[in-house]
Each structure stands twice: as structure tokens, then as C-alpha cells.
Amino acid sequence: MVVERIAVIGTGYVGLVSGTTFAELGHSVICADLDEAKIAMLQRAEIPIYEPGLQELVTSNVQKNRLAFTSDIGEAIRSSDILLIAVGTPTLESGDVDMKYVHHVIATIVSHTTSAKVIVIKSTVPVGTGRRVEQELRTALPHIQIDVVSNPEFLREGSAIHDTFHPDRIVIGAEQAEAGKRIAALQSALPGELLLTDRESAELIKYASNAFLAAKISFINEMAHVCEKVGADVGLVAKGMGLDKRIGPHFLNAGIGYGGSCFPKDTRAQLKIAQNVDYDFKILSAVIEVNQLQRERFVDKIKDTLGGKLHGKRIAVLGLAFKPNTDDLRDAPALDVIHALQSLGAEIHAYDPAALHHASKLLRDVQMYDDLYDAAYDADAIVIATEWETIRQMNAERIRSLMRYPVIIDGRNMFRPDEMSRLGFTYVSVGRAAAIHMEAAI
Ligand SMILES: NC(=O)c1ccc[n+]([C@@H]2O[C@H](COP(=O)([O-])OP(=O)(O)OC[C@H]3O[C@@H](n4cnc5c(N)ncnc54)[C@H](O)[C@@H]3O)[C@@H](O)[C@H]2O)c1
Ligand SMILES: O=c1ccn([C@@H]2O[C@H](COP(=O)(O)OP(=O)(O)O[C@H]3O[C@H](CO)[C@@H](O)[C@H](O)[C@H]3O)[C@@H](O)[C@H]2O)c(=O)[nH]1
């Protein structure tokens, strides 16, 4: 195996996991970031994000001298042959992708490059970016061999390590076959199908995949409404659909809709990419609209269950992160739900096992707990916003005894409605007609 010298520029969720993975695969990796506090933490072997399994992997690769961290981006560039860009690509008000972090990295590369480089774009970027970046670099550095390769990332937060070591596919978009093959060789020990494409296709595969997964979620959420009206159970409908291999069982969990740092921004970016070439991507507009409505309808459901008035009601919101096993609150549905409940006069007590530190910066007037029983104490209702395992394992009888009224409105369909009613709860979930609406309980 050829051991490559790799600099990862941008040591966030993707950069840190990718850099650590390449080190684990035997390469020499330096992870660089402008955020000096983050780098200082990493140099002290502290992991700035909550991601199961990451701490152990970082520590062992640092000990083997295959992984290091720096805030000297120039030095990282000079000492490496492969530069992996993993900075953020958020959305602008207009819906376009904000490329300022990528542009800043390109300017830094221009200033510090004195030898041949292969630049790998891991960040999710609009189609055409790889081509433009390569032109810009070749114009600025005419005597140096520069190749730009697209290698989109498909990891999910909360299972990032597993996803990275067990990818369904590795997509590499390159114009120069040699550069593409070199980046493929870096990952040759990983399973999963290798798909070599042109850069534009690789860039679009990333957006198309996220948009399609988001579409599955919005589709099942719309089905959930129909289920409620006609007396069906969306869980069973999804199961029956998913048994068809052409459909598959994944991403058909109805609930309060998708959140996170990727689906909301990437669906909007893909819509804009289409608009920019005069195409109205109608399905995607609907996917985005349905997802927004899903949060609003969930708040209506809470209101209806609690008899129409929330003023003065104490609501325990269980789960704040956009999904379990992460501390990431970017576009987390729980935040919108809490803001809406507060605007209707509810008093919020919140529980999350990992995200409270970030939440305290984003939420006002919320009592926060790292113990779900404390959060549920004296509550008029529990609202479940994230399907943390700790919530699944909760002692329901103890919870009921602590609450003022035994009411659960479950935005993640974590429990069986019949079981919860048997335990004495008024239990309302999403798209399951068997759920019992009992204002009488209050
Ligand atoms: N988070 C995910 O699960 C995920 C998965 C697949 C793809 N992506 C994509 O990967 C990219 C990165 O996402 P993320 O979640 O890791 O972002 P992040 O915000 O967690 O990390 C980005 C990092 O880049 C650093 N940075 C910004 N400008 C820099 C510069 N000029 N030089 C050096 N460092 C700089 C920031 O300080 C930050 O630490 C995005 O395009 C995202 O869409 C994310
Ligand atoms: O059936 C489902 C599945 C997911 N979700 C929600 O969808 C969001 C996204 O979940 P998930 O995809 O598991 O997490 P992410 O870490 O956002 O990962 C997505 O976004 C990443 C960034 O682009 C990609 O790399 C991944 O492949 C893609 O799954 C979360 O709010 C989930 O609660 C549902 O509501 N129902």
C-alpha cells in the first residue's frame, strides 16, 4: 500500500471522521482548522463532537503517529500531497450555497502550494465546483500539477464511524483518471462498490441521494396524515411497503420530519441548482414544504391533545438533537417545536443526554435536564422529539407517577399505542389511528 500524506482542511464532523479513517487505513494525516479552540481540544485528545467510537479511534491513531492536528493551515498544505477539503457549505437566504469557506480554503491553497497536489472535495458543493476550482488553481499556479477530484461523503451523524468503514458505495468524480485512481486507492481497503464518474455526476449524486431520502421521509409523513384520517397505522403501511425490495424498508419512519445539517440545506440547494438552470423541481419543493408543515402540524397535535390551550402548561420535551447519538442541533425539529410551544405560553422542561451544552446557547427560558425523570416531574405532558435509546428504555410506570397528567405526544412513534394505553397514558403519535385522543384525561 502507498502511504499518502494527507491534509484535511476543516476538522468538523466530516473532516475529523474522514481524517481519522484515512489514518486508521494507514495514511499519514494532518487535520487542520481555523478554529484554534477546536484544534487545542483535539491536541489534548478531547473530541469536540459527540460521535460514538470516535474518541478511541482518534486516540489510537494519534498514538501511532498517523494523526495530528494543527491550526497552521499553510504548514498542513505544504507538508501534504493530497488536500481534502471538508469545510461547511451552508445555505444563503437566496437558497444558493454559501461557498465562502471553500473560497477561503482555495485562496490559502494558492498561497502555500509549492508542489503537486491532488485536491479532494469532500464538502457537499454545487455541481460545477470541482471544474471551477481546478481552473482557478491551475490559473493561479500554472507551473504546478493540480488535479481536483470530487469524493462526496455519505456518512450519517451518530453512526459516522460505522458508515465510513462500511460504505454502500464510494463515489469518485475525476477528469484525470490517474488522480481518480489515486484517491480510490486511498480507500481500497473499504468495502462497498466503487463508482468512478465525471466530477459533475459525482457532485450531483450527493445532492440527489439526500433529496431522494428526504423525499421518502416527506412521502411517509404525508401518508401518516392519510392513515390518521382513514384509521390505518403508518408503521404497518411502511412495513408493508418496505418489504418490496424495489422500495426498501429504510427512511420510512413517519414523525416530526427531518432535520440536521444536511437534508434541510441540501434539499434547498438542489432546488436552487435546478432553478439556476431554469428547471422547476416540483417534487423537491413539495418535499421541503411538507417537512416544514410536519413540524407545525405536530405542534397542532400537541395543542389539540392538551385541550387547545397551552398557557401555563408544563411540557417536558424529551430529546433535542436532530437525531439520536449526536449532540448536533442544526435545524433540529425540537427547537422549532419548543419555540412554537413557548409562543403559545407553555413552560418547557427539556431532556437530552448529549446536546444540552449546545442547547443552552440556543434556547431561552427552558429548564434543562440530563435526567429524563427530572424533566418529566410534574409535567402536564411529555413531548418526544428525538428517539434516544434512554427514552425507549424509560420506566413508564415511574414516569407516570411523576407526571401531573400522564400524557405523551410522541413525534417519533417510539412506543406501541396499545401498550401505552394499558400503562395508563394518553398516548398520541404520528399516523397511527389507534392512538387515543383523550382530552378527558386532563
Ligand atoms: N455533517 C455530516 O453528517 C455531513 C455528511 C456528509 C457531508 N457533509 C458535508 O461536509 C461538509 C462539512 O460539514 P460538517 O458537518 O463537517 O461541517 P462543520 O461545520 O462541522 O465543520 C466545518 C469545519 O471547517 C472549519 N473551517 C471553516 N473554514 C475553514 C478554513 N478556511 N480553513 C480551515 N478550516 C475551516 C470550521 O472551523 C469547522 O470546524 C459540508 O459541505 C456538509 O454538507 C456533512
Ligand atoms: O425514516 C426516517 C429517517 C430519518 N429521519 C430524520 O431525517 C434526519 C436525517 O437523518 P439521517 O439521514 O439519519 O442523518 P444525517 O446525519 O443527517 O445523514 C444524512 O445527511 C448526511 C449529510 O449529507 C449524509 O451524508 C447521509 O447519507 C444522510 O443520511 C433526522 O432528523 C432523522 O430524524 C426521519 O424522520 N425518518
Side-chain angles (χ1 to χ4, degrees):
M1 182 190 103
V2 178
V3 175
E4 297 278 13
R5 299 189 305 168
I6 305 171
V8 175
I9 308 175
T11 307
Y13 282 85
V14 167
L16 182 55
V17 172
S18 299
T20 308
T21 307
F22 285 123
E24 179 69 12
L25 293 174
H27 301 288
S28 173
V29 179
I30 176 104
C31 285
D33 203 291
L34 286 180
D35 184 338
E36 292 183 5
K38 188 181 271 189
I39 291 299
M41 274 184 86
L42 286 160
Q43 287 170 337
R44 292 193 302 269
E46 292 168 25
I47 307 296
I49 53 172
Y50 178 96
E51 186 61 51
L54 188 55
Q55 172 85 63
E56 297 81 339
L57 217 52
V58 169
T59 308
S60 96
N61 280 288
V62 169
Q63 279 166 356
K64 288 173 190 151
N65 285 324
R66 294 197 297 229
L67 181 62
F69 302 98
T70 183
S71 49
D72 186 343
I73 319 280
E75 175 53 25
I77 292 170
R78 286 189 297 274
S79 63
S80 305
D81 308 308
I82 294 177
L83 310 180
L84 197 137
I85 301 177
V87 295
T89 46
T91 319
L92 293 165
E93 273 299 308
S94 62
D96 284 305
V97 178
D98 184 351
M99 294 292 284
K100 69 169 180 273
Y101 302 110
V102 175
H103 290 148
H104 188 271
V105 173
I106 302 307
T108 315
I109 292 175
V110 168
S111 308
H112 294 276
T113 293
T114 50
S115 59
K117 310 280 180 208
V118 178
I119 319 277
V120 181
I121 303 188
K122 269 254 161 232
S123 298
T124 304
V125 292
V127 63
T129 300
R131 184 173 299 278
R132 274 194 295 278
V133 165
E134 190 173 85
Q135 267 163 10
E136 197 179 323
L137 288 170
R138 285 185 176 176
T139 306
L141 303 163
H143 306 298
I144 301 173
Q145 176 70 35
I146 303 279
D147 296 308
V148 175
V149 171
S150 165
N151 178 205
E153 178 56 61
F154 299 103
L155 65 78
R156 290 164 301 171
E157 292 181 20
S159 54
I161 303 294
H162 176 272
D163 292 351
T164 312
F165 284 100
H166 304 90
D168 289 341
R169 77 304 209 185
I170 294 169
V171 176
I172 295 179
E175 291 308 306
Q176 300 78 21
E178 278 316 305
K181 282 187 201 150
R182 189 164 167 199
I183 301 310
L186 281 184
Q187 311 169 58
S188 60
L190 296 176
E193 184 156 340
L194 173 67
L195 183 63
L196 287 170
T197 70
D198 57 283
R199 270 185 307 228
E200 281 71 17
S201 299
E203 289 164 343
L204 265 189
I205 285 168
K206 175 64 200 174
Y207 282 111
S209 302
N210 275 0
F212 191 77
L213 291 169
K216 278 186 103 172
I217 298 170
S218 282
F219 180 87
I220 203 68
N221 281 333
E222 294 233 89
M223 283 305 301
H225 291 290
V226 178
C227 287
E228 283 182 11
K229 301 270 184 219
V230 303
D233 182 321
V234 73
L236 293 173
V237 172
K239 187 163 186 188
M241 289 167 64
L243 288 169
D244 183 329
K245 290 192 182 62
R246 295 169 303 172
I247 297 173
H250 306 292
F251 280 70
L252 288 177
N253 294 324
I256 40 177
Y258 60 78
S261 69
C262 292
F263 285 177
K265 100 174 158 59
D266 292 348
T267 44
R268 272 181 275 146
Q270 174 57 61
L271 192 63
K272 192 70 188 186
I273 287 168
Q275 276 168 6
N276 289 345
V277 289
D278 292 328
Y279 187 72
D280 181 12
F281 203 142
K282 289 191 170 57
I283 289 181
L284 207 43
S285 309
V287 166
I288 295 166
E289 190 188 343
V290 166
N291 196 57
Q292 185 52 39
L293 282 173
Q294 199 64 8
R295 297 180 186 193
E296 294 166 19
R297 287 177 178 145
F298 185 61
V299 172
D300 289 343
K301 197 184 270 281
I302 298 168
K303 219 165 65 181
D304 291 349
T305 309
L306 296 182
K309 285 215 175 70
L310 293 184
H311 195 80
K313 296 251 160 66
R314 180 183 290 187
I315 298 181
V317 176
L318 303 188
L320 297 174
F322 82 96
K323 62 179 284 191
N325 296 322
T326 180
D327 59 353
D328 199 339
L329 285 166
R330 287 179 281 183
D331 220 328
L335 301 183
D336 274 359
V337 169
I338 287 175
H339 288 137
L341 295 177
Q342 284 183 318
S343 73
L344 294 167
E347 176 192 336
I348 305 297
H349 288 212
Y351 158 77
D352 193 282
L356 292 187
H357 174 68
H358 294 316
S360 60
K361 291 179 219 143
L362 298 170
L363 291 168
R364 283 188 196 287
D365 302 322
V366 173
Q367 295 280 334
M368 307 219 194
Y369 301 89
D370 58 8
D371 179 296
L372 68 86
Y373 300 97
D374 289 345
Y377 176 73
D378 222 12
D380 289 290
I382 277 176
V383 164
I384 299 177
T386 314
E387 66 277 37
W388 281 100
E389 196 52 33
T390 45
I391 301 172
R392 201 182 304 284
Q393 301 295 337
M394 73 186 182
N395 179 331
E397 285 179 6
R398 183 169 164 215
I399 286 279
R400 201 194 56 219
S401 71
L402 290 170
M403 294 177 71
R404 198 177 298 167
Y405 295 104
V407 179
I408 297 181
I409 303 110
D410 181 356
R412 297 296 184 176
N413 289 359
M414 292 186 76
F415 300 104
R416 281 182 51 163
D418 55 346
E419 181 64 9
M420 295 314 272
S421 323
R422 192 185 63 73
L423 288 166
F425 286 97
T426 295
Y427 177 76
V428 177
S429 51
V430 179
R432 298 192 293 175
I436 306 162
H437 294 254
M438 284 199 309
E439 284 84 352
I442 300 167

